[in-house]
């Protein structure tokens, strides 16, 4: 509503006048709402509108106007219905009072009045009027369409130029390097990072597989080493045992051999010892010994004596014979030579027979030893005496030699 | 109406935390210079940019050529934790490529990294252990780590670090101990590993069993393993995870080489569990289980028990893997061997 205009106070007063609400002209209401996508709220609300064309101003007679409700209160449907009902009820009351007289008589006993419709087509009567609501609505107000593009009036001459496709540049060809660089760089970076990770992942997987294999092989190697070590130790031990056994066998065999040999070697030790002792005279027959030690020396001495006697006799005889022959020689020395040569021949003959005689005497006197000096038949030749004595000495030496043998 | 912003979204690559990269071949030398600057911020930005660049193997090659690693070594001991963290990350990415690994070995970076084992920052330590893990996978790297005397330190760290880092340490140890086990044995690694065998985490259990496997490849390790760990390993054969089973079977494979280990394993009822592992078709533990059973078959009792189960090995002869077939043949031969 238009604010009441206060007349300005007359004359001057000390205070300048101020309005509670300063008067202002009502700005025009725009026909259309402001579009929603405006950047800024529209500052100026259009120009001041013309009062004559303002819809809010009442037109026509103001003195003969119908009563306009003060409040613009649109009653709801329900309220409208209630008002109408109230009016109807008032009317019905009025009519009911009128129609009391026009009532039909009371029904007979046992019967009832029933209102019946007698038309052809029955009607349903009800207080309530059948109502059907029909609505009608105008379309929602449209938003203001955007201002059409202002095309100023054409001035000047039209000149047209047209660049056909392919004249300036071939987009497909030109865009390629740019695209390549763009996409290339992006993909390069992405590839780098992906490659890094992939490379690493593959390396680790490869390394792990390799490590597994390597560990397995290493374990195998060590196991075989261990096995080998065990076998070797076993072998060594067996070998040692074997060698010891062999050693023992050898010793035993040697011992047995030595024992057998010693047995055999010493088998005839005792007999030989006894033999030797026997031979060296340890076991002697006492009688024999007795005979040997006593009897025989006595016998020998007796024999010696006897032989000495014999020898003595022979020596005596020899000396006798010598004396005799010396004498004869002296006698004969006065004789001529042929006797000498015959004496020489006779000397030779007895000298020849002497070894035989010596041999005979040796043989004969083998049993009787000792100092038999001569057993030759005494030589009667004096000339031969020296030679015979020499020969006798030689023969005696021979005999002594043979005896001492 | 026009506004001063060209577009509502920022251009994609403007990251204020990274240094701008020069074009082409000049990128790395420029970053090399920036790294040596006295300002911490410049260093950090350069490191961030470098971190992205080293994903490309060509850049790694160039970096190693220019001599980046010397400067990175100096930065490892910087007082600022971000610098250290980024440096270790870069070293980790370098270690993932062969060229980088060779560069790390040649420039002797590992002894310097040893200092970082006690770093207060978790992520620095984690990156350090990741570098060690990667390096250990290379034989020369493993030798390098051993020469730097890291084995006792790592074994001690096993007790104190978090689970993730423990996995990395166990991986490093398993690769290093493959070469040489005496140092680890001196620091009593077996006791610590025994605890880890009963850890709730699956990865840790399987990796600990791997480490024990590698220790068992050495003669002096075998004795220690025999004495203490065999019953635990046998119980792990029935673990739910196939990885753990495979590692445990492998560790047993080496532990049963010695006669003493064999007796212990037999007494711990290893044979039925191993037979179960062999019977599964796709088990990864198949090869190791067959080998372990071969070891156990060297003993008379084992042979007796296994004579009844030769059909399981017959089945293995049809396995697609060549190694498994050979192992099954050897096993059958050993089981049916008679002393006479």
């Amino acid at each position: 509503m238009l604010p009441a205009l206060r007349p300005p106070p007359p004359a001057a007063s000390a205070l300048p006048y101020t309005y509670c609400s300063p008067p202002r002209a009502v700005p025009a209401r725009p026909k259309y709402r402001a579009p929603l996508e405006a950047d800024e709220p529209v500052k100026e609300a259009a120009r001041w509108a013309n009062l004559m064309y303002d819809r809010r101003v009442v037109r026509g007679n103001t003195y003969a106007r119908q009563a306009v409700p003060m409040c613009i209160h649109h009653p709801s449907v329900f309220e409208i219905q209630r008002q109408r009902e109230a009016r109807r009820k008032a009317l019905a009351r009025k009519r009911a009072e009128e129609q009391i007289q026009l009532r039909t008589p009371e029904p007979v006993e046992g019967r009832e009045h029933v209102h019946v419709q007698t038309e052809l087509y029955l009607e349903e009567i009800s207080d309530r009027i059948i109502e059907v609501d029909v609505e009608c609505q105008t379309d929602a107000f449209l938003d203001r369409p955007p201002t059409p593009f202002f095309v100023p009036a054409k001035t000047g001459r039209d000149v047209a130029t047209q660049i056909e496709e392919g004249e300036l540049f071939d987009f497909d060809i030109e865009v390629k390097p740019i695209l390549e660089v763009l996409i290339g760089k992006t993909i390069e970076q992405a590839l780098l990072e992906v490659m890094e990770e992939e490379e690493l992942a593959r390396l680790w997987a490869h390394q792990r597989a390799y490590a597994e294999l390597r560990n397995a092989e290493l374990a195998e190697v060590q196991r075989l080493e261990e096995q080998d070590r065990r076998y070797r130790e076993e072998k060594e031990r067996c070998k040692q045992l074997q060698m010891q056994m062999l050693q023992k066998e050898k010793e035993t065999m040697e011992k047995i051999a030595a024992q057998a040999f010693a047995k055999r070697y010493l088998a005839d030790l005792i007999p030989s010892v006894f033999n030797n002792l026997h031979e060296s005279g340890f076991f002697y027959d006492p009688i024999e010994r007795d005979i040997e030690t006593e009897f025989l020396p006595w016998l020998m001495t007796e024999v010696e004596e006897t032989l000495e006697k014999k020898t003595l006799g022979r020596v005596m005889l020899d000396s006798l014979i010598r004396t005799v022959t010396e004498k004869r020689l002296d006698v004969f020395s006065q004789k001529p030579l042929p006797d000498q040569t015959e004496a020489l021949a006779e000397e030779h003959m007895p000298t020849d027979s002497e070894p035989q005689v010596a041999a005979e005497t040796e043989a004969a006197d083998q049993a009787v030893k000792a100092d038999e000096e001569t057993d030759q038949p005494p030589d009667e030749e004096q000339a031969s005496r020296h030679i015979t004595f020499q020969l006798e000495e030689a023969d005696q030496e021979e005999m002594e030699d043979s005896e001492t043998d | 109406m026009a506004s001063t912003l060209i577009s509502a979204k920022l251009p994609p690559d403007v990251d204020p935390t990274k240094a701008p990269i020069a074009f082409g071949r000049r990128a790395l030398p420029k970053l090399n210079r920036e790294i040596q600057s006295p300002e911490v911020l410049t260093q950090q930005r350069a490191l961030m940019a470098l971190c992205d660049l080293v994903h490309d193997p060509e850049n790694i090659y160039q970096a190693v050529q220019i001599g980046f690693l010397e400067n990175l070594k100096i930065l490892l001991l910087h007082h600022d934790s971000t610098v250290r963290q980024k440096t270790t990350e870069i070293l980790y990415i370098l270690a993932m490529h062969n060229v980088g690994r060779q560069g790390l070995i040649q420039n002797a970076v590992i002894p310097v990294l040893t200092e970082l084992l006690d770093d207060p920052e978790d992520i620095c330590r984690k990156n350090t252990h990741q570098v060690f893990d990667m390096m250990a996978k290379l034989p020369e790297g493993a030798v390098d780590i051993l020469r730097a005397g890291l084995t006792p330190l790592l074994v001690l760290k096993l007790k104190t670090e978090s689970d993730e880092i423990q996995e990395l340490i166990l991986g490093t140890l398993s690769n290093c101990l493959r070469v040489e086990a005496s140092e680890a044995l001196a620091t009593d690694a077996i006791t610590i590993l025994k605890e880890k065998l009963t850890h709730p985490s699956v990865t840790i259990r399987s990796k600990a069993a791997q480490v024990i496997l590698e220790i068992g490849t050495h003669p002096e390790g075998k004795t220690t393993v025999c004495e203490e760990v065999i019953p635990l390993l046998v119980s792990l054969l029935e673990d739910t995870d196939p990885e753990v089973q495979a590692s445990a079977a492998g560790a047993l494979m080496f532990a049963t080489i010695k006669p003493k280990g064999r007796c212990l394993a037999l007494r711990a009822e290893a044979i039925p569990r191993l037979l179960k592992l062999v019977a599964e078709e796709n088990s990864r533990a198949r090869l190791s289980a067959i080998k372990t059973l071969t070891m156990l078959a060297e003993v008379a009792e084992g042979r007796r028990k296994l004579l009844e189960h030769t059909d399981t090995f017959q089945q293995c002869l049809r396995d697609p893997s060549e190694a498994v077939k050979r192992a099954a043949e050897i096993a059958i031969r050993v089981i049916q061997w008679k002393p006479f």
Side-chain angles (χ1 to χ4, degrees), chain A residues 16-34:
Chain A
Y17 184 79
T18 54
Y19 289 102
C20 278
S21 66
R24 54 186 169 90
V26 177
R29 211 178 52 139
K31 208 170 179 184
Y32 299 107
R33 284 203 302 271

PDB file of all heavy atoms in Angstrom, chain A residues 16-34:
ATOM      1  N   PRO A  16      15.830  19.600  11.130  1.00  0.00           N
ATOM      2  CA  PRO A  16      15.408  19.279   9.772  1.00  0.00           C
ATOM      3  C   PRO A  16      14.429  18.104   9.858  1.00  0.00           C
ATOM      4  O   PRO A  16      14.493  17.257  10.730  1.00  0.00           O
ATOM      5  CB  PRO A  16      16.707  18.873   9.072  1.00  0.00           C
ATOM      6  CG  PRO A  16      17.627  18.472  10.173  1.00  0.00           C
ATOM      7  CD  PRO A  16      17.219  19.298  11.372  1.00  0.00           C
ATOM      8  N   TYR A  17      13.577  18.105   8.998  1.00  0.00           N
ATOM      9  CA  TYR A  17      12.544  17.097   9.032  1.00  0.00           C
ATOM     10  C   TYR A  17      13.113  15.757   8.599  1.00  0.00           C
ATOM     11  O   TYR A  17      13.912  15.678   7.678  1.00  0.00           O
ATOM     12  CB  TYR A  17      11.402  17.524   8.094  1.00  0.00           C
ATOM     13  CG  TYR A  17      10.264  16.560   8.163  1.00  0.00           C
ATOM     14  CD1 TYR A  17       9.351  16.604   9.215  1.00  0.00           C
ATOM     15  CD2 TYR A  17      10.118  15.610   7.156  1.00  0.00           C
ATOM     16  CE1 TYR A  17       8.308  15.714   9.268  1.00  0.00           C
ATOM     17  CE2 TYR A  17       9.065  14.743   7.219  1.00  0.00           C
ATOM     18  CZ  TYR A  17       8.163  14.782   8.271  1.00  0.00           C
ATOM     19  OH  TYR A  17       7.125  13.888   8.319  1.00  0.00           O
ATOM     20  N   THR A  18      12.698  14.717   9.279  1.00  0.00           N
ATOM     21  CA  THR A  18      13.093  13.363   8.848  1.00  0.00           C
ATOM     22  C   THR A  18      11.869  12.503   8.784  1.00  0.00           C
ATOM     23  O   THR A  18      10.940  12.622   9.583  1.00  0.00           O
ATOM     24  CB  THR A  18      14.058  12.723   9.847  1.00  0.00           C
ATOM     25  OG1 THR A  18      13.475  12.749  11.134  1.00  0.00           O
ATOM     26  CG2 THR A  18      15.391  13.417   9.852  1.00  0.00           C
ATOM     27  N   TYR A  19      11.885  11.677   7.846  1.00  0.00           N
ATOM     28  CA  TYR A  19      10.791  10.742   7.678  1.00  0.00           C
ATOM     29  C   TYR A  19      11.042   9.500   8.495  1.00  0.00           C
ATOM     30  O   TYR A  19      12.170   9.077   8.667  1.00  0.00           O
ATOM     31  CB  TYR A  19      10.674  10.322   6.221  1.00  0.00           C
ATOM     32  CG  TYR A  19      10.173  11.402   5.325  1.00  0.00           C
ATOM     33  CD1 TYR A  19      11.050  12.123   4.502  1.00  0.00           C
ATOM     34  CD2 TYR A  19       8.816  11.738   5.282  1.00  0.00           C
ATOM     35  CE1 TYR A  19      10.567  13.103   3.662  1.00  0.00           C
ATOM     36  CE2 TYR A  19       8.361  12.718   4.453  1.00  0.00           C
ATOM     37  CZ  TYR A  19       9.227  13.410   3.635  1.00  0.00           C
ATOM     38  OH  TYR A  19       8.750  14.374   2.821  1.00  0.00           O
ATOM     39  N   CYS A  20       9.959   8.954   8.975  1.00  0.00           N
ATOM     40  CA  CYS A  20      10.118   7.598   9.502  1.00  0.00           C
ATOM     41  C   CYS A  20      10.428   6.643   8.402  1.00  0.00           C
ATOM     42  O   CYS A  20      11.343   5.829   8.451  1.00  0.00           O
ATOM     43  CB  CYS A  20       8.795   7.136  10.153  1.00  0.00           C
ATOM     44  SG  CYS A  20       8.552   7.690  11.761  1.00  0.00           S
ATOM     45  N   SER A  21       9.547   6.751   7.460  1.00  0.00           N
ATOM     46  CA  SER A  21       9.843   5.977   6.266  1.00  0.00           C
ATOM     47  C   SER A  21       9.787   6.960   5.124  1.00  0.00           C
ATOM     48  O   SER A  21       8.741   7.523   4.813  1.00  0.00           O
ATOM     49  CB  SER A  21       8.832   4.854   6.104  1.00  0.00           C
ATOM     50  OG  SER A  21       7.566   5.375   5.864  1.00  0.00           O
ATOM     51  N   PRO A  22      10.905   7.162   4.549  1.00  0.00           N
ATOM     52  CA  PRO A  22      10.950   8.194   3.513  1.00  0.00           C
ATOM     53  C   PRO A  22      10.069   7.788   2.357  1.00  0.00           C
ATOM     54  O   PRO A  22       9.927   6.600   2.036  1.00  0.00           O
ATOM     55  CB  PRO A  22      12.417   8.239   3.117  1.00  0.00           C
ATOM     56  CG  PRO A  22      13.002   6.962   3.607  1.00  0.00           C
ATOM     57  CD  PRO A  22      12.183   6.515   4.740  1.00  0.00           C
ATOM     58  N   PRO A  23       9.475   8.765   1.731  1.00  0.00           N
ATOM     59  CA  PRO A  23       8.608   8.441   0.615  1.00  0.00           C
ATOM     60  C   PRO A  23       9.457   7.981  -0.543  1.00  0.00           C
ATOM     61  O   PRO A  23      10.566   8.428  -0.770  1.00  0.00           O
ATOM     62  CB  PRO A  23       7.915   9.761   0.314  1.00  0.00           C
ATOM     63  CG  PRO A  23       8.845  10.807   0.803  1.00  0.00           C
ATOM     64  CD  PRO A  23       9.572  10.193   1.956  1.00  0.00           C
ATOM     65  N   ARG A  24       8.896   7.063  -1.201  1.00  0.00           N
ATOM     66  CA  ARG A  24       9.595   6.604  -2.392  1.00  0.00           C
ATOM     67  C   ARG A  24       8.563   6.153  -3.387  1.00  0.00           C
ATOM     68  O   ARG A  24       7.490   5.666  -3.037  1.00  0.00           O
ATOM     69  CB  ARG A  24      10.564   5.483  -2.080  1.00  0.00           C
ATOM     70  CG  ARG A  24       9.930   4.336  -1.360  1.00  0.00           C
ATOM     71  CD  ARG A  24      10.963   3.305  -0.939  1.00  0.00           C
ATOM     72  NE  ARG A  24      10.287   2.377  -0.040  1.00  0.00           N
ATOM     73  CZ  ARG A  24       9.667   1.290  -0.473  1.00  0.00           C
ATOM     74  NH1 ARG A  24       9.629   0.991  -1.733  1.00  0.00           N
ATOM     75  NH2 ARG A  24       9.056   0.500   0.400  1.00  0.00           N
ATOM     76  N   ALA A  25       8.970   6.266  -4.588  1.00  0.00           N
ATOM     77  CA  ALA A  25       8.098   5.748  -5.628  1.00  0.00           C
ATOM     78  C   ALA A  25       8.271   4.251  -5.674  1.00  0.00           C
ATOM     79  O   ALA A  25       9.354   3.711  -5.421  1.00  0.00           O
ATOM     80  CB  ALA A  25       8.477   6.377  -6.964  1.00  0.00           C
ATOM     81  N   VAL A  26       7.179   3.612  -5.977  1.00  0.00           N
ATOM     82  CA  VAL A  26       7.250   2.151  -5.998  1.00  0.00           C
ATOM     83  C   VAL A  26       7.925   1.723  -7.279  1.00  0.00           C
ATOM     84  O   VAL A  26       7.497   2.128  -8.361  1.00  0.00           O
ATOM     85  CB  VAL A  26       5.846   1.556  -5.907  1.00  0.00           C
ATOM     86  CG1 VAL A  26       5.908   0.065  -5.993  1.00  0.00           C
ATOM     87  CG2 VAL A  26       5.205   2.019  -4.621  1.00  0.00           C
ATOM     88  N   PRO A  27       8.909   0.970  -7.165  1.00  0.00           N
ATOM     89  CA  PRO A  27       9.534   0.536  -8.413  1.00  0.00           C
ATOM     90  C   PRO A  27       8.625  -0.424  -9.138  1.00  0.00           C
ATOM     91  O   PRO A  27       7.770  -1.084  -8.532  1.00  0.00           O
ATOM     92  CB  PRO A  27      10.808  -0.151  -7.950  1.00  0.00           C
ATOM     93  CG  PRO A  27      10.530  -0.557  -6.553  1.00  0.00           C
ATOM     94  CD  PRO A  27       9.573   0.453  -6.002  1.00  0.00           C
ATOM     95  N   ALA A  28       8.801  -0.465 -10.430  1.00  0.00           N
ATOM     96  CA  ALA A  28       7.951  -1.343 -11.225  1.00  0.00           C
ATOM     97  C   ALA A  28       8.286  -2.793 -10.932  1.00  0.00           C
ATOM     98  O   ALA A  28       9.426  -3.164 -10.694  1.00  0.00           O
ATOM     99  CB  ALA A  28       8.169  -1.036 -12.699  1.00  0.00           C
ATOM    100  N   ARG A  29       7.281  -3.538 -10.947  1.00  0.00           N
ATOM    101  CA  ARG A  29       7.502  -4.987 -10.784  1.00  0.00           C
ATOM    102  C   ARG A  29       7.787  -5.559 -12.146  1.00  0.00           C
ATOM    103  O   ARG A  29       6.995  -5.374 -13.060  1.00  0.00           O
ATOM    104  CB  ARG A  29       6.238  -5.596 -10.209  1.00  0.00           C
ATOM    105  CG  ARG A  29       6.466  -6.790  -9.347  1.00  0.00           C
ATOM    106  CD  ARG A  29       5.162  -7.263  -8.807  1.00  0.00           C
ATOM    107  NE  ARG A  29       4.210  -7.438  -9.885  1.00  0.00           N
ATOM    108  CZ  ARG A  29       3.365  -8.458  -9.971  1.00  0.00           C
ATOM    109  NH1 ARG A  29       3.368  -9.372  -9.049  1.00  0.00           N
ATOM    110  NH2 ARG A  29       2.509  -8.525 -10.975  1.00  0.00           N
ATOM    111  N   PRO A  30       8.902  -6.230 -12.236  1.00  0.00           N
ATOM    112  CA  PRO A  30       9.190  -6.767 -13.571  1.00  0.00           C
ATOM    113  C   PRO A  30       8.200  -7.868 -13.912  1.00  0.00           C
ATOM    114  O   PRO A  30       7.668  -8.559 -13.049  1.00  0.00           O
ATOM    115  CB  PRO A  30      10.607  -7.330 -13.431  1.00  0.00           C
ATOM    116  CG  PRO A  30      10.797  -7.550 -11.974  1.00  0.00           C
ATOM    117  CD  PRO A  30       9.930  -6.551 -11.282  1.00  0.00           C
ATOM    118  N   LYS A  31       7.983  -7.964 -15.191  1.00  0.00           N
ATOM    119  CA  LYS A  31       6.984  -8.912 -15.647  1.00  0.00           C
ATOM    120  C   LYS A  31       7.428 -10.356 -15.401  1.00  0.00           C
ATOM    121  O   LYS A  31       6.665 -11.212 -14.994  1.00  0.00           O
ATOM    122  CB  LYS A  31       6.781  -8.679 -17.141  1.00  0.00           C
ATOM    123  CG  LYS A  31       5.421  -9.034 -17.623  1.00  0.00           C
ATOM    124  CD  LYS A  31       5.266  -8.531 -19.060  1.00  0.00           C
ATOM    125  CE  LYS A  31       3.903  -8.887 -19.591  1.00  0.00           C
ATOM    126  NZ  LYS A  31       3.789  -8.482 -20.999  1.00  0.00           N
ATOM    127  N   TYR A  32       8.719 -10.553 -15.663  1.00  0.00           N
ATOM    128  CA  TYR A  32       9.257 -11.907 -15.486  1.00  0.00           C
ATOM    129  C   TYR A  32      10.228 -11.929 -14.345  1.00  0.00           C
ATOM    130  O   TYR A  32      10.841 -10.916 -14.030  1.00  0.00           O
ATOM    131  CB  TYR A  32       9.954 -12.381 -16.752  1.00  0.00           C
ATOM    132  CG  TYR A  32       9.046 -12.437 -17.924  1.00  0.00           C
ATOM    133  CD1 TYR A  32       9.145 -11.485 -18.955  1.00  0.00           C
ATOM    134  CD2 TYR A  32       8.044 -13.401 -18.009  1.00  0.00           C
ATOM    135  CE1 TYR A  32       8.301 -11.538 -20.037  1.00  0.00           C
ATOM    136  CE2 TYR A  32       7.201 -13.438 -19.082  1.00  0.00           C
ATOM    137  CZ  TYR A  32       7.328 -12.497 -20.107  1.00  0.00           C
ATOM    138  OH  TYR A  32       6.480 -12.528 -21.153  1.00  0.00           O
ATOM    139  N   ARG A  33      10.331 -13.074 -13.750  1.00  0.00           N
ATOM    140  CA  ARG A  33      11.340 -13.229 -12.686  1.00  0.00           C
ATOM    141  C   ARG A  33      12.731 -13.084 -13.286  1.00  0.00           C
ATOM    142  O   ARG A  33      12.926 -13.346 -14.465  1.00  0.00           O
ATOM    143  CB  ARG A  33      11.249 -14.608 -12.067  1.00  0.00           C
ATOM    144  CG  ARG A  33      10.111 -14.806 -11.124  1.00  0.00           C
ATOM    145  CD  ARG A  33      10.429 -15.950 -10.185  1.00  0.00           C
ATOM    146  NE  ARG A  33      10.696 -17.181 -10.918  1.00  0.00           N
ATOM    147  CZ  ARG A  33       9.761 -18.060 -11.262  1.00  0.00           C
ATOM    148  NH1 ARG A  33       8.500 -17.846 -10.954  1.00  0.00           N
ATOM    149  NH2 ARG A  33      10.092 -19.138 -11.938  1.00  0.00           N
ATOM    150  N   ALA A  34      13.692 -12.770 -12.414  1.00  0.00           N
ATOM    151  CA  ALA A  34      15.078 -12.704 -12.921  1.00  0.00           C
ATOM    152  C   ALA A  34      15.562 -14.127 -13.207  1.00  0.00           C
ATOM    153  O   ALA A  34      15.207 -15.069 -12.488  1.00  0.00           O
ATOM    154  CB  ALA A  34      15.968 -12.038 -11.883  1.00  0.00           C
TER     155      ALA A  34
END
